[in-house]
Amino acid sequence: MSISASVRERLLNSFRAELKEHIQTMTDGLLALEQQTVSDDERQAVLNNVFRAAHSLKGAARSVGTTTIEQLAHTLEDILDAMRQDSMELSAELFNTCYRALDVIQVVQAAYEGGSITPPSEALQVLLELQKFSTKSTSAAVAASQPVSPQTTAGPEQSGPDVPSPDPLPEVAPAKKEDEHSESGHLVIPGNPALEETIRIRVSKLDSLMGQLSELMVAKIRAEQRLIELRQLEQSMALWQKDWLAVRGAYSQVVRHNGRGLAAHENDIDRLVEYLGSSQEQLRDMNVYVSGLAREYANDTMHMSLVIDELEEEIKRVRMLPLNTITATFGRMVRDLAQRSGKEAILRIIGGETELDKRVLEQIKDPLIHLLRNAVDHGLETPEQRESKGKPRRGTISLQAEQLANDIVITVADDGSGLDFSAIRQAVIRHNPAIQIMSDADLKAMIFNEGISTSERVTDISGRGVGLDIVRRNIDALQGRIDVDSQPGAGVKFILKIPLTLSSSHGLLIQVAGERFAVPLNNIERIMEIGWDSITKLGGFDTIVYNEQTIPLTRMSNILELQPPEGEPPETGSLAVIVLASAERRMAFVVDSLVGEQEIVIKRLGNQLSRVAGIAGATIMGDGQIVLILNVSDLIKMALRAKQQVVTEPVRRNKETDVTPEASSQSSIRVSPHILIVDDSITTRTLEKNILEAAGYRVRLATDGQEAWEVIAAGE
């Protein structure tokens, strides 16, 4: 019977989701059995769960007509049933074949969806390997117990509902109840007739909803500003009332002398007295009105803030998914990598139910994979080496996640040998002989540089020195931080601290060279005041001691190329310093002043300004002022690339050259930099010209590349 394309597409979508779910259930169960991470009491329950997954997959494959997947699932079902009855000897070869079968099932599904009617050649090969184990288990079962049904010897084409023992069928019926989570991520409660209804929402709709929420957040900030202005009006009215009380005595004198020697101005005085009295009444009424209005507006603002905060949390929660959404395949990956490396390893995941924003999950998956691969290849020793050190043959890698306030802390740790600082030092010198290594802390930072690898040869697992560089880049993009803790002979920990969500956050408002900027609080490790005697010079740079480590110190105005405040007395008073962190790097920046904390909604600057170094976006304050949000990762990179500068001698920059403070004091002229705009649209050219000129740039226009080249050649 033919079915329409739309019906077939719906069936395939459902089958794809169900196949992924069953494959993961069987993978997790087989890993638990192979690595013996379940107790004897739990072992039978795990086997039953895996068996039901294979049986359900067989039925689903039959419904969409994928015969090859049906045969593979049926043969897996025979093997798993033999495991349940303890009639099959468990071996590494058996588990490897089962894993290969699960991989091949996914390959067959991809080929089927691509329109192929011929199954891949490896499918038949794996099927034959599975049938060898199935035949052995069937023979053993028949020899040990005659009551076993002879139908267990049937070939894979016999894919009916019969199973080797009389009890599986009743267990297969409620297979869906064993699923811990539905596709949408909601918990499914076994036996509950009123299951929670769920819907699937396109990510684009959620992104649009988050955009609307950003505007609502701006309205909230503006409303709070209006409340501040209303409070100021209330204070003005109170002062007006106070002034009236001060002149009320004079008013009384005029009233008492009315008609005594002032007969010629009697009418004017009457009008004045009447006006003053009326004004006093109006003032009192207005004061009462404004006070009541301020009180009600304060209540309304508080209510709106609560509603918006709750709405924000709910919308963020809609976008959040548990960490185990991306870690489901990690256990199998670690097992396979260890086997290929001649090692034994087990992965323990703690806190897999911790939820993060979907975008954050997508960006941390690759870093976590690289850290796990690094732990297997570089961290863990071979079984023989571990035994010689008194350790278990099998190494343990842990991935632990927990929520701390608005951040998620993910720790990837192993119980291997720890960082080999000698090998790292040699790798760094081999990569760049000019680099001077000062301490183990420097070496910890160096391992994240591209091209740094302690592997003696390049393999498909490691050796190219790009894994940890990818980790740093992705964590940088998330405005997160990385800490490394290594204990010789005991292992190493990589601690990632990343924000729960990327939509809105809190920032610290700072003043730099008369301009106001915002710094995300996620990147601020410490705010402090230091004296000039706390600054020491090292390698031409100013440094301070922070957490028993020496970190560079620089002026924020130097990095942003802004004119520092004039007339600052050197080496007097104290300096406002913020210690910023991005990935594994830390640096201290001197700012003019700290304005305060502010909830910020990050707005992108558009494609034209997307590559401006040091700027992550902008936010709109309550008074309508636009404040730029600093990109901490860029700031640290810019500071490390900058010329050697000292805090006591701010650098004035102009177009041609850097000007020393002495030269700057002789001349206050600052040449504005030139910008050449090339665009064939007069509207775009005019818009960009107005924006840049308002920012202090001198702008030259060109309509095409030829005209632009002529302008450059002419030195204009």
Side-chain angles (χ1 to χ4, degrees):
M1 180 181 64
S2 62
I3 56 177
S4 66
S6 60
V7 173
R8 181 179 184 275
E9 182 65 24
R10 288 199 298 269
L11 280 174
L12 283 178
N13 289 337
S14 300
F15 179 62
R16 186 188 307 116
E18 188 173 357
L19 180 141
K20 179 181 177 181
E21 184 179 328
H22 292 320
I23 290 292
Q24 192 58 53
T25 299
M26 287 187 280
T27 300
D28 292 342
L30 290 172
L31 280 173
L33 295 170
E34 180 188 18
Q35 298 174 347
Q36 299 179 358
T37 57
V38 293
S39 63
D40 293 338
D41 296 336
E42 297 172 332
R43 184 177 183 277
Q44 194 62 33
V46 171
L47 278 169
N48 289 337
N49 195 25
V50 176
F51 175 82
R52 281 191 288 268
H55 184 85
S56 299
L57 178 60
K58 180 182 70 175
R62 185 191 307 123
S63 67
V64 296
T66 53
T67 307
T68 304
I69 295 179
E70 179 186 354
Q71 291 175 338
L72 288 167
H74 177 72
T75 310
L76 276 172
E77 185 182 18
D78 288 341
I79 293 175
L80 292 168
D81 184 62
M83 290 185 184
R84 292 197 309 169
Q85 299 180 14
D86 291 328
S87 60
M88 175 175 288
E89 181 181 355
L90 304 185
S91 64
E93 183 183 1
L94 171 62
F95 284 109
N96 286 336
T97 304
C98 290
Y99 292 135
R100 283 188 59 201
L102 297 180
D103 293 339
V104 167
I105 286 175
Q106 297 177 81
V107 172
V108 173
Q109 169 62 13
Y112 177 73
E113 290 190 14
S116 175
I117 59 175
T118 304
S121 59
E122 59 261 41
L124 179 59
Q125 181 181 356
V126 171
L127 184 60
L128 292 175
E129 293 177 7
L130 285 175
Q131 287 176 344
K132 290 179 183 178
F133 287 103
S134 178
T135 303
K136 291 178 183 179
S137 66
T138 303
S139 301
V142 171
S145 175
Q146 290 299 324
V148 176
S149 171
Q151 293 177 348
T152 56
T153 60
E157 69 279 357
Q158 185 178 347
S159 55
D162 45 61
V163 288
S165 63
D167 59 325
L169 277 177
E171 296 177 2
V172 171
K176 283 291 181 183
K177 300 197 311 185
E178 296 295 325
D179 300 335
E180 291 185 358
H181 293 276
S182 69
E183 180 65 17
S184 60
H186 290 276
L187 184 67
V188 180
I189 304 173
N192 187 354
L195 297 179
E196 183 179 359
E197 295 183 357
T198 61
I199 59 173
R200 295 184 181 182
I201 305 174
R202 290 198 302 269
V203 175
S204 59
K205 290 185 177 180
L206 295 178
D207 291 338
S208 175
L209 193 58
M210 289 298 294
Q212 295 298 325
L213 175 64
S214 297
E215 298 301 325
L216 193 58
M217 294 294 295
V218 173
K220 170 190 171 184
I221 296 172
R222 295 181 67 88
E224 291 173 346
Q225 177 65 24
R226 297 291 86 76
L227 177 59
I228 294 174
E229 296 172 354
L230 195 56
R231 291 293 189 192
Q232 294 173 348
L233 177 61
E234 183 182 16
Q235 293 175 1
S236 299
M237 298 298 297
L239 290 175
W240 192 6
Q241 178 71 11
K242 183 178 180 180
D243 292 340
W244 161 250
L245 294 177
V247 301
R248 190 168 60 181
Y251 167 78
S252 300
Q253 291 292 335
V254 172
V255 172
R256 284 197 300 270
H257 288 86
N258 188 21
R260 299 180 185 177
L262 300 173
H265 304 281
E266 182 176 351
N267 292 335
D268 293 336
I269 292 176
D270 288 343
R271 292 174 60 191
L272 176 61
V273 171
E274 181 180 357
Y275 170 76
L276 291 175
S278 174
S279 296
Q280 191 275 335
E281 293 293 334
Q282 291 178 0
L283 177 60
R284 185 177 64 248
D285 294 343
M286 186 177 294
N287 190 37
V288 172
Y289 171 76
V290 171
S291 298
L293 180 62
R295 203 165 43 246
E296 292 300 323
Y297 191 78
N299 293 336
D300 292 344
T301 302
M302 182 181 297
H303 178 264
M304 183 181 67
S305 297
L306 292 174
V307 171
I308 291 177
D309 290 342
E310 291 177 1
L311 177 61
E312 180 185 19
E313 292 302 319
E314 288 297 326
I315 293 178
K316 287 179 180 178
R317 196 172 293 118
V318 170
R319 285 188 57 92
M320 286 188 174
L321 295 172
L323 182 65
N324 54 31
T325 304
I326 63 170
T327 61
T329 60
F330 287 0
R332 166 79 185 281
M333 179 191 72
V334 168
R335 181 258 183 199
D336 291 346
L337 287 174
Q339 192 174 63
R340 286 158 55 189
S341 303
K343 301 177 181 180
E344 297 180 12
I346 182 175
L347 174 66
R348 300 188 185 278
I349 299 178
I350 305 170
E353 70 283 355
T354 305
E355 293 190 336
L356 295 88
D357 187 280
K358 183 178 183 293
R359 287 174 57 198
V360 177
L361 274 178
E362 291 171 350
Q363 293 192 51
I364 67 169
K365 182 175 181 178
D366 284 345
L368 292 180
I369 289 175
H370 283 290
L371 288 176
L372 292 174
R373 292 168 66 94
N374 193 71
V376 173
D377 195 47
H378 295 286
L380 297 182
E381 310 95 334
T382 62
E384 295 75 17
Q385 291 172 335
R386 293 181 64 87
E387 285 186 331
S388 66
K389 296 178 181 179
K391 296 182 178 181
R393 285 181 57 86
R394 185 172 63 188
T396 300
I397 301 173
S398 65
L399 192 159
Q400 182 173 356
E402 59 179 338
Q403 180 177 346
L404 295 178
N406 292 323
D407 294 323
I408 289 291
V409 178
I410 300 178
T411 303
V412 178
D414 64 68
D415 62 349
S417 57
L419 295 178
D420 186 347
F421 290 112
S422 176
I424 296 171
R425 182 176 289 105
Q426 293 176 6
V428 171
I429 295 175
R430 187 168 56 248
H431 183 71
N432 188 349
I435 295 180
Q436 298 179 0
I437 306 301
M438 294 181 291
S439 65
D440 289 349
D442 296 321
L443 292 174
K444 287 181 182 179
M446 288 290 179
I447 63 177
F448 293 95
N449 290 352
E450 185 176 2
I452 304 299
S453 176
T454 58
S455 293
E456 297 179 356
R457 58 191 179 89
V458 177
T459 67
D460 57 348
I461 301 177
S462 64
R464 301 186 184 275
V466 297
L468 291 181
D469 178 62
I470 293 174
V471 173
R472 180 178 64 185
R473 290 177 184 273
N474 284 34
I475 300 302
D476 264 349
L478 291 170
Q479 299 294 317
R481 285 176 272 172
I482 305 175
D483 287 316
V484 182
D485 180 19
S486 177
Q487 301 296 329
V492 62
K493 291 181 181 178
F494 289 88
I495 305 169
L496 314 180
K497 188 175 183 181
I498 53 181
L500 271 174
T501 181
L502 303 177
S503 57
S504 64
S505 62
H506 284 74
L508 175 69
L509 297 180
I510 59 174
Q511 198 80 11
V512 179
E515 300 289 339
R516 186 174 294 186
F517 297 92
V519 182
L521 286 184
N522 290 328
N523 294 111
I524 299 177
E525 281 210 354
R526 189 171 178 182
I527 303 171
M528 56 186 176
E529 285 190 355
I530 64 171
W532 291 91
D533 55 353
S534 301
I535 303 174
T536 57
K537 294 188 184 302
L538 185 63
F541 286 89
D542 284 336
T543 63
I544 61 173
V545 177
Y546 169 69
N547 282 351
E548 301 181 353
Q549 293 185 4
T550 300
I551 61 173
L553 174 71
T554 187
R555 281 187 179 274
M556 186 73 77
S557 57
N558 290 343
I559 305 305
L560 298 177
E561 299 187 11
L562 297 175
Q563 185 78 8
E566 297 292 340
E568 180 182 1
E571 302 186 10
T572 60
S574 59
L575 297 171
V577 174
I578 54 176
V579 179
L580 303 182
S582 178
E584 84 290 357
R585 298 181 176 128
R586 282 159 181 77
M587 182 170 285
F589 292 85
V590 176
V591 299
D592 297 347
S593 61
L594 306 175
V595 180
E597 182 184 346
Q598 173 71 47
E599 188 173 13
I600 57 176
V601 178
I602 302 175
K603 298 285 188 180
R604 301 302 170 190
L605 298 179
N607 294 332
Q608 294 89 343
L609 302 176
S610 61
R611 296 186 179 181
V612 178
I615 305 300
T619 188
I620 303 175
M621 306 300 294
D623 57 2
Q625 179 185 4
I626 296 177
V627 174
L628 295 178
I629 301 172
L630 298 178
N631 186 317
V632 173
S633 175
D634 281 358
L635 290 177
I636 295 177
K637 293 176 184 176
M638 292 161 63
L640 293 175
R641 289 196 301 261
K643 295 180 179 179
Q644 295 180 350
Q645 301 167 1
V646 292
V647 172
T648 54
E649 297 177 2
V651 175
R652 272 70 166 167
R653 298 180 183 271
N654 62 18
K655 181 174 179 287
E656 281 79 21
T657 183
D658 293 342
V659 182
T660 63
E662 291 78 12
S664 178
S665 63
Q666 297 174 5
S667 174
S668 60
I669 299 176
R670 185 184 182 188
V671 180
S672 299
H674 279 94
I675 287 185
L676 175 61
I677 296 177
V678 185
D679 199 293
D680 59 357
S681 169
I682 186 173
T683 304
T684 302
R685 292 199 306 270
T686 304
L687 175 62
E688 294 176 348
K689 179 176 182 292
N690 293 336
I691 294 174
L692 293 169
E693 285 183 342
Y697 293 94
R698 291 196 294 174
V699 179
R700 184 74 164 83
L701 301 179
T703 57
D704 53 30
Q706 178 63 34
E707 183 180 353
W709 177 252
E710 293 174 356
V711 170
I712 295 173
E716 299 180 20

